[in-house]
Amino acid sequence: QLFNAARTKPAVQQTAFLRRAAADDEDLFREVQLLLRAAENTERSFEDVVAEATRQVGHCYGLSQSRPYRSFN
């Protein structure tokens, strides 16, 4: 529950939120913080994969980064 609540906060507010919510439980704080970092890294990796796939598909259709779409009219 704490992990999900922290995920609803902007990244810059997560640490302060966790400090307040975990109170004196340093193990809980560290565990949830590690989970948040892992989730962030997973999302970033997924976004990188999607970006690379988009570039490859664009290349197949003759699209470039400076022109992200092509009219077929």
Side-chain angles (χ1 to χ4, degrees), residues 34-59:
L34 287 173
L35 290 171
L36 289 169
R37 286 184 187 151
E40 180 181 294
N41 290 336
T42 300
E43 288 172 9
R44 190 172 304 126
S45 297
F46 178 74
E47 289 171 0
D48 291 343
V49 169
V50 170
E52 178 60 28
T54 301
R55 280 191 295 277
Q56 290 178 10
V57 169
H59 178 73

Side-chain angles (χ1 to χ4, degrees), residues 1-71:
Q1 291 176 353
L2 182 55
F3 170 78
N4 290 329
R7 293 270 295 162
T8 66
K9 308 291 181 201
V12 297
Q13 295 177 0
Q14 287 177 350
T15 300
F17 171 79
L18 277 178
R19 280 279 173 218
R20 286 190 305 274
D24 295 329
D25 192 338
E26 191 63 29
D27 290 335
L28 177 62
F29 171 81
R30 277 196 302 264
E31 183 177 341
V32 175
Q33 193 173 44
L34 287 173
L35 290 171
L36 289 169
R37 286 184 187 151
E40 180 181 294
N41 290 336
T42 300
E43 288 172 9
R44 190 172 304 126
S45 297
F46 178 74
E47 289 171 0
D48 291 343
V49 169
V50 170
E52 178 60 28
T54 301
R55 280 191 295 277
Q56 290 178 10
V57 169
H59 178 73
C60 291
Y61 287 98
L63 305 177
S64 69
Q65 288 180 332
S66 61
R67 192 174 131 191
Y69 60 89
R70 181 174 159 191
S71 174

